[in-house]
Amino acid sequence: MSEKLWNGEPFWGLGYEWDPDWVLTERQRELRDQLIELCASEMRDNAKVSDDNLEYPRKNLELLGRHGFLALTVPTEYGGLGEDHVAFAMTCETIARYGCASTAMCYVMHMGAVNTIMLRATDELIDKYIRPLNTGKIGTLSYSDPETGSHFWYPVSSGAERTDDGYLVRKKASWTTSGGFADFYVVQTTSPDFSGYDDLSVFVIDGEDVKAQPSTWDALGLRGNQSGPIQVEDVAIPATQIVGPEGDGAASNDESVDPWFLIGSSAVWSGIALGSIDIAKRQATRKRHVDVGLRVADYPTIQDYVGEAVMDTNACRMFTISVAQAMDRLTEHNTRQAPPGEFARANVLHWAWQIKFEAAKNAAHVVDKMLHVCGGSGYKRDMELERYLRDAKAGWVMGPTNEVLRQFVGKAVLLGFDALDYWNQTYNRRAVENEIKKLDDDGKRKLAEELLAQVQDVGAPTG
């Protein structure tokens, strides 16, 4: 097994013997080693600048673009590297571990936008947004809504109207990574003939048509993300900038947006955990207590901490990789896209919920334990561990939050998938009947009158 290098010297963290190289192709291992070199030479230093100054990591993203990574999963005929879900997981993990977590999350959202376009690709979309990626063109997803929080799939503050040559799009988003910096935004809104919250459409909005306030962004961790609010105010776009047919938004969310985002973000959280273990190993093997002649690494308690952290994190990263492998099998290694009305990745979406929950939970726990390994030295900023600790905290609360995900899984297991009711359309008869039991006769009569009035209002002709 080759030795892992860092700027030409032996790497001070975990060696390749702790990386599951057997899941990667030879080409993917080459790409990983190239990423490690980029992180060592430039990206890790830029991470401190982004964190200190709340600076968007454009230099890092442009560096990734020059080496083809902004088009990692794009077919080679369109200028991409033609890679699959496993390669995507590896790339996100590697950037977060060795380089910059903010860059990694911006990259996840960029690739989410790219792959959402590629799910319903047209010649016009490919020429305008996909072929220029290696020049440093950066995209992002904007699916959140200020009214629905972590239920980001439910866009209340949005809409689209048809025009003679396209659409008029409005969108408010509470959290948009790369907000104010991306060159294009893939946004989800309600459809022109909106009939309920499963009737959604997806559009690409150019950066100059998006209003953002990057100066207001100030966060605990992932400080380079610039994940602030954005607004699209009745922007006119050509018909060529709709992604898929009208009403396809819910389906493309399940088939592309969520699968790619959950694979990528899960890999980021494991990368942050691994990066903290690397730092802890360096400190524990170099720091010596001269009074007893022992290194920190010689203490059994420290060995216990690190051993458990490695095993738990490798369990999470292998879980993520296994779901990526499932998506690769379902899409013939990302060479086949399910047409409207059919699904591939969405069939294992409930597994993707689980990997995000586990990876985010593990990252917060592991980075905290690695602080214990490093002791007081780890609390200082010059060791970088405290940045990893702050970045890791974002995993739990990033939508879909871990509270949402564990409820999804528990509810689906106990009541079935239909009970999840994403779009708030299922009538809970038991709950309603139980509440009605609490009313006396007058209360029931009043409720009945109110319901009849609502029915009459809906059926009344409009002027």
Side-chain angles (χ1 to χ4, degrees):
M1 180 175 292
S2 61
E3 184 176 34
K4 188 181 294 185
L5 298 178
W6 187 259
N7 283 327
E9 300 292 332
F11 181 57
W12 33 264
L14 301 179
Y16 282 133
E17 65 271 21
W18 299 106
D19 292 323
D21 278 9
W22 64 88
V23 303
L24 304 177
T25 65
E26 182 178 355
R27 173 59 175 154
Q28 288 166 354
R29 291 194 294 272
E30 291 173 354
L31 291 173
R32 180 202 53 197
D33 293 349
Q34 183 181 23
L35 281 168
I36 294 174
E37 290 179 7
L38 295 177
C39 289
S41 64
E42 186 169 348
M43 292 176 68
R44 195 179 185 104
D45 288 341
N46 291 340
K48 177 173 172 41
V49 175
S50 287
D51 186 67
D52 288 346
N53 303 331
L54 293 165
E55 184 173 312
Y56 184 68
R58 182 172 289 278
K59 290 181 181 179
N60 282 353
L61 291 164
E62 290 176 347
L63 182 66
L64 291 170
R66 290 197 295 273
H67 291 82
F69 288 99
L70 294 183
L72 176 74
T73 58
V74 171
T76 54
E77 58 264 36
Y78 304 136
L81 297 180
E83 281 293 344
D84 58 16
H85 300 81
V86 169
F88 176 58
M90 175 278 294
T91 300
C92 297
E93 178 191 285
T94 303
I95 297 170
R97 176 180 181 179
Y98 301 100
C100 171
S102 286
T103 301
M105 278 309 307
C106 292
Y107 181 77
V108 169
M109 302 304 284
H110 163 82
M111 293 304 300
V114 167
N115 283 296
T116 300
I117 292 173
M118 292 306 303
L119 178 70
R120 307 286 188 242
T122 63
D123 290 342
E124 292 85 357
L125 289 172
I126 288 171
D127 287 343
K128 185 171 184 179
Y129 299 108
I130 302 302
R131 292 188 188 277
L133 290 175
N134 290 336
T135 66
K137 202 175 185 74
I138 299 165
T140 194
L141 294 168
S142 186
Y143 273 55
S144 63
D145 189 284
E147 302 297 328
T148 58
S150 295
H151 299 178
F152 62 87
W153 57 90
Y154 201 95
V156 175
S157 307
S158 71
E161 300 174 17
R162 295 189 199 91
T163 62
D164 291 341
D165 57 356
Y167 297 90
L168 206 61
V169 178
R170 68 180 186 277
K171 172 75 178 180
K172 286 184 180 179
S174 48
W175 302 88
T176 297
T177 296
S178 303
F181 294 90
D183 298 298
F184 63 91
Y185 297 71
V186 174
V187 307
Q188 180 175 258
T189 75
T190 54
S191 294
D193 296 324
F194 179 60
S195 61
Y197 276 98
D198 59 347
D199 184 10
L200 307 171
S201 296
V202 178
F203 303 92
V204 188
I205 308 296
D206 294 323
E208 59 264 27
D209 294 323
V210 173
K211 292 185 176 180
Q213 295 178 301
S215 61
T216 64
W217 171 252
D218 192 356
L220 174 70
L222 297 179
R223 287 166 58 81
N225 276 25
Q226 292 293 340
S227 295
I230 68 158
Q231 189 164 349
V232 178
E233 296 180 347
D234 290 327
V235 169
I237 63 169
T240 54
Q241 286 179 214
I242 189 171
V243 183
E246 291 181 10
D248 186 55
S252 69
N253 180 80
D254 289 352
E255 180 59 25
S256 184
V257 174
D258 276 5
W260 288 103
F261 170 75
L262 292 168
I263 288 286
S265 61
S266 299
V268 168
W269 310 131
S270 289
I272 291 173
L274 288 162
S276 73
I277 298 170
D278 290 330
I279 293 170
K281 179 189 174 185
R282 178 179 60 189
Q283 171 68 5
T285 54
R286 294 179 180 178
K287 176 68 175 178
R288 183 179 299 274
H289 294 157
V290 296
D291 54 331
V292 293
L294 295 175
R295 300 171 302 169
V296 172
D298 294 323
Y299 291 92
T301 299
I302 301 301
Q303 296 164 6
D304 288 348
Y305 280 162
V306 172
E308 184 176 9
V310 169
M311 289 186 284
D312 286 349
T313 303
N314 274 332
C316 288
R317 72 198 297 212
M318 292 306 295
F319 192 6
T320 298
I321 289 169
S322 72
V323 176
Q325 288 174 325
M327 292 183 187
D328 280 336
R329 285 193 292 271
L330 290 166
T331 62
E332 299 175 16
H333 289 273
N334 196 37
T335 61
R336 183 181 66 83
Q337 301 287 6
E342 296 182 17
F343 294 98
R345 300 175 189 89
N347 294 330
V348 292
L349 185 55
H350 57 296
W351 287 95
W353 297 338
Q354 297 174 68
I355 61 174
K356 189 272 180 177
F357 179 92
E358 292 296 336
K361 180 176 71 172
N362 177 72
H365 175 74
V366 164
V367 178
D368 185 64
K369 287 298 181 184
M370 294 307 97
L371 177 61
H372 298 173
V373 169
C374 293
S377 297
Y379 203 67
K380 297 190 297 182
R381 298 194 70 188
D382 59 0
M383 191 177 286
E384 298 184 290
L385 182 63
E386 62 86 32
R387 185 178 76 240
Y388 279 72
L389 189 149
R390 289 184 286 105
D391 290 344
K393 295 297 183 182
W396 188 281
V397 298
M398 185 172 289
T401 65
N402 275 25
E403 282 80 12
V404 168
L405 290 174
R406 65 186 175 193
Q407 186 189 46
F408 274 4
V409 173
K411 197 170 187 178
V413 167
L414 295 172
L415 305 177
F417 287 102
D418 289 343
L420 294 177
D421 191 20
Y422 288 142
W423 318 112
N424 198 31
Q425 294 174 315
T426 302
Y427 169 56
N428 190 332
R429 187 182 184 91
R430 286 194 301 270
V432 171
E433 289 179 347
N434 183 65
E435 292 302 309
I436 290 175
K437 288 177 184 177
K438 301 174 184 179
L439 298 175
D440 58 18
D441 289 345
D442 287 340
K444 291 176 183 177
R445 189 174 296 109
K446 183 178 179 181
L447 176 61
E449 291 171 353
E450 291 174 353
L451 292 174
L452 284 171
Q454 289 179 18
V455 173
Q456 291 168 357
D457 287 343
V458 170
T462 59

